[in-house]
Amino acid sequence: MSFPIPTLSREQGELRLEDVALNDIAARFGTPTFVYSARAMREAYAAYAEALSGVPSQVCYAVKANSNLAVLGLFARLGAGFDIVSGGELARVLAAGGQADRVVFSGVGKSAAEIEQALSAGIQCFNIESRAELARIAAIASRLGRTAPVAFRVNPAVDPKTHPYISTGLRSNKFGVDFDEAFELYREAARQPALRVSGIACHIGSQLLDPAPVAEAAEKVLGLVDRLSDEGIALDHIDLGGGLGIRYDDESPPSVADYLAPLLARYGTRRETLCFEPGRSLVGNAGLLLTKVELLKHGVEKNFAVVDAAMNDLARPALYDAYHAAVPVSTRAEATTRRYDIVGPICESGDFLARERDLALADGDLIALLSAGAYGMTMSSNYNTRPRAAEVLVDGSRTFVARDRETVASLLRHEHALPSDF
Ligand SMILES: *Cc1c(COP(=O)(O)O)cnc(C)c1O
């Protein structure tokens, strides 16, 4: 089967991302290292741009999937907007060269300071997730003498049929305002002089492999938009969130065009700008985590390949029991194939990156954990005082260090040893 990363290939036994050998990346930058393909990101973005070329549209990259400044800069150059969930992410977008007026701000707990920051920067829209947040944004905008552009994130109560931790549009989820309450909230917002009602938003979950739930959510949202319009509340954009899934193992996600087809057929020639907030589908299969086998442990019941990456670098397997393909960087004819669990050095039984993989390995071998471009680095931590990995962007035969590897000194910098007089 082909690799899920479209720009990954094997030539003369060696894995290459675009035109760069992963062996060379490990030799130059060390391991563990996240390696991203610029071409794969551009191609993923182009798939959205092409599918949406017939309608007024905007793609707002979901920053939380991979918030490296170089990645954000790449999407900004392609004309993307951004979906953010914190003031920190807004600062990243601006530092990367993104435009504030193409930023939508989601999240259930925006602080007063974050709201002020976003108002001062002049973002495109706040996606409001509760009645309390409506009051908070109106009060802050009014105090600052500004008008806040707002949308409500509605919860359409459809089941996205994905992992429960990444379902967000069910009644029981913390996200969005209840669909039946939304109409009244829009009337309230329209009466507030410090607010400008600008759009509507909805995001039902992540790693979606079926176009039906999104089309169903869109149907509900469009019905509400029409009712609001009858009431004299006209919206300028309709944001249907992110969520399109990718292939990690043997999934067969629809193409962007097939995913959006039912929805676009229903959308017709509406005048509102149709927005999406894809994260995973833009970057997930543009990245991998390059790691080195520290040692092999052959046991009675199990064989372990202990590698220099761990759950602090890539949390998804420990968190969601997620699958990442584990591919040796060099093929090795002489080693025996054994069934391995690929584990990190962290003191947790949950510290595994892949389980029960048949691989021919030797100490010091390099392994690429594929599909690690989304929710990899952004979910990483310093657990066990492990400096975070480096990030390298590949474009053709060029490489760019997008993040230096952390050092223990950089980790200790924010801490203070107990002074003798305390
Ligand atoms: C996480 C998130 C996204 C991106 O989801 P993906 O599954 O990565 O496409 C988009 N919008 C909102 C509001 C989110 O929370």
Side-chain angles (χ1 to χ4, degrees), residues 127-206:
N127 290 345
I128 299 183
E129 304 218 15
S130 63
R131 183 179 291 269
E133 194 188 322
L134 169 68
R136 173 180 273 198
I137 293 177
I140 295 172
S142 152
R143 177 163 53 75
L144 296 180
R146 290 182 178 262
T147 308
V150 298
F152 286 96
R153 174 171 175 185
V154 297
N155 185 335
V158 301
D159 185 354
K161 304 188 189 79
T162 184
H163 190 287
Y165 285 12
I166 48 179
S167 298
T168 53
L170 300 171
R171 273 246 161 73
S172 54
N173 291 130
K174 69 174 177 178
F175 300 101
V177 301
D178 205 77
F179 196 81
D180 303 324
E181 256 188 281
F183 191 75
E184 197 41 50
L185 286 169
Y186 270 101
R187 292 169 66 164
E188 273 184 53
R191 283 196 295 266
Q192 299 268 1
L195 303 181
R196 181 172 62 78
V197 173
S198 148
I200 191 164
C202 134
H203 169 74
I204 60 170
S206 201

Side-chain angles (χ1 to χ4, degrees), residues 62 64-65 83 85 106 153 203 205-207 241-244 277-281 375:
K64 73 178 190 289
D83 169 49
V85 293
S106 306
R153 174 171 175 185
H203 169 74
S206 201
Q207 185 54 15
L244 174 58
E277 304 169 347
R280 190 189 311 268
S281 54
Y375 306 108

